[in-house]
Amino acid sequence: MPDPHDPLRSLFQEAASAGQSASTTPPVSLIERRGERHRRRRIVGIAAACLFVLAGSGAALSTFLPGDSGPTLPATTPSPAAPSPTSAPPPASNTVAPPSNTTAPASSTTALPNSSLTPPRNTAPPPGTTGSTEPSMSPTPTQPPR
């Protein structure tokens, strides 16, 4: 049987009663505020982690994607600049006059700039032929009468 006047037992009982009286539960409002603060910190941490992931993936993509190869060209071609007034005459432009024996309408007789002309075709016979040309092999196509 245990001794009722054991000094160690009485010390444990005193410590238990002191702890029980000191341990009071905090008010519910204080517990709610701590929970809200914890929830806000967790949400801010998750949002910051998402931003870091997005920023890191954007940086990685910009590293791995091909870079800009040169200056960006305009969407439309610029209009030609007006010639500056000088004392020298403008250079003569090479124009092609239509053949005089054709019966083409007047709208098609305007001169075309050199850049829109097609290169001339090679109408010489291939080497090793007799040198005679047939009438169907004429270098200029004939136009049907209108």
Side-chain angles (χ1 to χ4, degrees):
M1 211 150 130
D3 187 19
H5 297 290
D6 188 15
L8 189 56
R9 181 175 182 192
S10 64
L11 287 175
F12 277 126
Q13 286 178 346
E14 285 177 27
S17 63
Q20 205 171 24
S21 64
S23 65
T24 59
T25 57
V28 175
S29 62
L30 181 66
I31 295 172
E32 285 178 358
R33 279 186 275 157
R34 277 192 279 181
E36 284 295 316
R37 188 170 43 235
H38 181 67
R39 186 178 65 84
R40 281 193 303 262
R41 286 181 181 168
R42 185 175 50 228
I43 289 173
V44 167
I46 291 171
C50 289
L51 287 176
F52 283 133
V53 166
L54 287 175
S57 62
L61 282 176
S62 67
T63 302
F64 292 125
L65 289 178
D68 200 16
S69 62
T72 305
L73 299 176
T76 60
T77 57
S79 61
S84 61
T86 60
S87 61
S93 63
N94 294 334
T95 59
V96 176
S100 61
N101 60 357
T102 60
T103 57
S107 65
S108 67
T109 60
T110 58
L112 299 174
N114 281 342
S115 63
S116 66
L117 293 178
T118 58
R121 294 185 190 148
N122 186 7
T123 58
T129 60
T130 61
S132 64
T133 59
E134 297 178 25
S136 64
M137 296 178 59
S138 68
T140 57
T142 58
Q143 294 181 351
R146 294 181 188 206

